[in-house]
Amino acid sequence: MPSNLDTLDNSIVQSEMARKSDFSSPYYGEPRKFDPTFRGPISNRSCTDVFCCVIFIIVILGYIALGTVAWLHGDPRKVIYPTDSYGQFCGQKGTPNAKKSILFYFNILKCANPAVLINLQCPTTQMCVSKCPDRFATYTDMQLQYQITAAPWEYYRRFCKPGFNNPTKPVAQVLRDEDCPSMIVPSRPFLQRCFPDFITLNGTLTVAKRTHFKDALDKARSVTELRDAANGITGLVDAKEVGMKIVEDYAASWNWILIGLVIALVVSLIFILLLRFTAGLLLWFTIIAVILVIAYGIWHCYLEFSLLRQQPGADVTIVDIGFQTDVTVYLHLSQTWLIFLIALCTIEASILIILIFLRKRVRIAIALLREGSKAVSYIMSTLFYPIITFLLLAICISYFSVTSVFLASSGDAIYKVMAAEPNCMYANKTCDPETFNKTNVSKTCPGAQCTFAFYGGETPYHRYLFILQLSNLLIFLWLVNFIIALGQCTLAGAFASYYWARRKPQDIPTCPLFSSFSRAIRYHTGSLAFGALILALVQMARIILEYLDSKLKGASNVAARFLLCCLKCCFWCLERFIKFMNRNAYIMIAIYGKCFCTSARDAFCLLMRNVVRVAVLDRVTDFLLFLGKVLIAGSVGVIAFFFFTHKIPIVQEDVPTLHYYWVPLLTVICGSYLIAHGFFSVYAMCVDTLFLCFCEDLERNDGSPEKPFLMSAELHSILRKTEHH
């Protein structure tokens, strides 16, 4: 590769010396001096932030120990299987309840809300059954029919306590001892629990087409009472039905979804490769294509809005019709298209304003991306590094999820006295079901029972379960940020080796990605862990603030809500700033091999000495890459839309029959965007690394024969443009 000195004259050298004197500031440090021995990422380096590395390793070992302890004490069956009043799992193999996988509530009217039901703390007897009731019946009616035939009793006894076989026992005593439910209503299983089978007929809530019924004491009851007792269950049942249909849609279309994602993968790879040769043309095509697509969307939305506004009934608002699983219902409302129209107009105006006011910087950013495409083309292995990051994150997320489940299911069965009378002195006291009948509780409180309440314990382990869950979350955030930091440092080291190579590609080291990964793991685990810990603590604080905000939503304390809102905003800004600084600190670590604090300080001072160029790079290049992601995801999404809506004649017969075509469509669009993001994140890291190397090159060298630039002539022309804009 010919020397860049041929393209630089003495006037440029003088301008560079003048520029350095202008940007030199005691607040942001002095520019680096020329070092003739510097050849890019330092290979002769030592371990950094050793103390933090040791702490990080100890925490990982402790995390493994935490998972082991949770595995020993936890029992996922407590989460998977419902538990009856005797602490036995419903549906567990090898037990009398093996074929009884559904939990039945004797008196669901005692249950205040769905949360009580799901947490198994409803104050009524709970029993495992094989099927939910499918008819209305009361114990009184059963006794009257039993005098004629035993069939009603044979059916009713399925929902009585095991071993109870006295259908002639007085109703009052049966209800007092809770031997059988006072009534049964048509129900269906949901979350392995029997809930009333609510159905809406002509706007009226019914159960088996009935709105009223009577209990065992011949007291009139209404379906509304059932609804109030299980408030929100109807919505959950509908959600279950929608969920089942979504699962069926995935089962019918998974192969076509996979094909769509493969197409997105191929298109993303082709896009990256084309940037190497036609960066300017391709990026301007992307910008124009996005503008034209949005313009077409605006025209289409306006056309639909104009047509629907003239049709009767189309002026109904979205709030009036509520939530509908059939998306096409919303497409028949003029308000829907008006919302689409306003949103697209806003997006289009934002893009045009950015292009008008930043058109010169867009051209500069395109040139930077063109230079980045050269680096990617020389180190193609970097495009596949996100797969390693994905696998590490998948392992981390899986371990965190399993540990959380085992921690949540840790504890022994706790039994409490459930009294039939409200003034019982033993009500809600802890009891032992094996010795309960030998105590005087039954005599003092007739009808009282010792029933299962929840899982817990009084040991130190059980008392600190909440702290362990918080520790699990914090370490999880730490590990996730460390994995991301490792990827950023690895890619930065690989791309820095490209920049500082005097002859490209001859002087680029062999296997630069693997060498960079090895250096990051061997020498800088402590530094990466340090930066990841700082970010994890801020994210943990944000999670706690979000939790407090959810608890204060109904509070009337305006001052507290305002203060919380300010704190959330501040921590959000802090998180964004730390992410930005960490990213640049990892680049400096990859190049110079210094500790985290020193690297972060050097990166900050370097960026502040080149603040004008940072403004060009940081957002404009991100904006261009974002448009590329949108174009890829949008183009694949359009093809998927025409396919799943039977609008491609050639493959109409191969299209699967779906309940909701938007299920595979949204999956393909989101998956395509994530795939494109994986490729473009490598590109973004490349540009950021080249930019910092670029600034370092400008401070180390001046383009003279003694201090030649390592940048290309094109990059130097970019520098001159940024100084004039």
Side-chain angles (χ1 to χ4, degrees), residues 620-640:
V620 179
T621 53
D622 288 348
F623 170 71
L624 294 177
L625 293 177
F626 172 73
L627 291 183
K629 300 174 196 175
V630 171
L631 181 63
I632 292 173
S635 58
V636 176
V638 168
I639 297 174

Side-chain angles (χ1 to χ4, degrees), residues 418-428 445-446:
M418 186 176 64
E421 301 176 358
N423 56 352
C424 176
M425 60 182 297
Y426 295 102
N428 210 33
C445 304

Side-chain angles (χ1 to χ4, degrees), residues 472-663:
N472 181 34
L473 177 60
L474 178 61
I475 299 174
F476 166 71
L477 294 174
W478 193 0
L479 289 175
V480 167
N481 288 311
F482 174 81
I483 292 170
I484 295 173
L486 177 61
Q488 292 176 344
C489 189
T490 299
L491 293 174
F495 292 126
S497 65
Y498 158 83
Y499 183 92
W500 296 107
R502 292 188 178 274
R503 296 179 303 159
K504 301 177 178 63
Q506 292 88 342
D507 290 346
I508 298 177
T510 306
C511 302
L513 184 68
F514 179 76
S515 300
S516 180
F517 180 81
S518 301
R519 288 195 301 268
I521 289 292
R522 181 178 179 182
Y523 298 109
H524 307 303
T525 297
S527 298
L528 301 180
F530 189 18
L533 176 61
I534 296 174
L535 185 56
L537 291 173
V538 175
Q539 292 172 338
M540 190 72 178
R542 287 195 63 199
I543 292 174
I544 294 174
L545 289 175
E546 291 291 344
Y547 173 78
L548 294 176
D549 184 51
S550 65
K551 292 297 183 181
L552 293 175
K553 281 189 180 298
S556 57
N557 193 333
V558 179
R561 294 293 306 277
F562 175 76
L563 178 61
L564 194 60
C565 183
C566 293
L567 287 174
K568 287 170 58 179
C569 180
C570 292
F571 273 92
W572 180 85
C573 296
L574 180 61
E575 181 183 358
R576 298 288 296 181
F577 175 75
I578 291 177
K579 283 184 177 180
F580 175 76
M581 287 306 307
N582 281 7
R583 183 182 181 92
N584 290 281
Y586 299 147
I587 296 174
M588 300 299 281
I589 289 172
I591 298 175
Y592 295 106
K594 296 182 179 180
C595 66
F596 176 80
C597 292
T598 302
S599 299
R601 182 200 63 196
D602 292 344
F604 178 76
C605 293
L606 181 62
L607 292 173
M608 293 306 297
R609 292 195 299 267
N610 297 271
V611 65
V612 176
R613 302 187 188 98
V614 172
V616 174
L617 171 83
D618 189 41
R619 285 292 168 244
V620 179
T621 53
D622 288 348
F623 170 71
L624 294 177
L625 293 177
F626 172 73
L627 291 183
K629 300 174 196 175
V630 171
L631 181 63
I632 292 173
S635 58
V636 176
V638 168
I639 297 174
F641 172 78
F642 284 117
F643 175 79
F644 288 116
T645 54
H646 302 267
K647 293 184 179 180
I648 303 179
I650 303 177
V651 292
Q652 274 190 351
E653 297 180 356
D654 298 326
V655 180
T657 303
L658 303 171
H659 299 286
Y660 312 116
Y661 72 84
W662 50 264
V663 171

Side-chain angles (χ1 to χ4, degrees), residues 1 4 7-8 12 16 19 363-375 378 495-496 498-501 504 610 613 616-617 621 686-698 709-724:
M1 179 178 177
N4 295 319
T7 64
L8 303 174
I12 295 179
E16 289 305 317
R19 180 196 61 79
R363 289 200 296 267
I364 296 170
I366 289 175
L368 284 170
L369 291 172
R370 186 184 298 112
E371 189 68 22
S373 65
K374 296 179 183 178
Y378 285 129
F495 292 126
Y498 158 83
Y499 183 92
W500 296 107
K504 301 177 178 63
N610 297 271
R613 302 187 188 98
V616 174
L617 171 83
T621 53
C686 175
V687 173
D688 288 349
T689 303
L690 294 182
F691 176 74
L692 280 186
C693 294
F694 170 74
C695 295
E696 283 282 299
D697 194 8
L698 290 174
F709 287 124
L710 273 77
M711 71 184 77
S712 64
E714 184 179 11
L715 266 181
H716 190 270
S717 66
I718 296 172
L719 161 68
R720 300 179 69 182
K721 290 179 181 179
T722 57
E723 287 181 351
H724 290 90

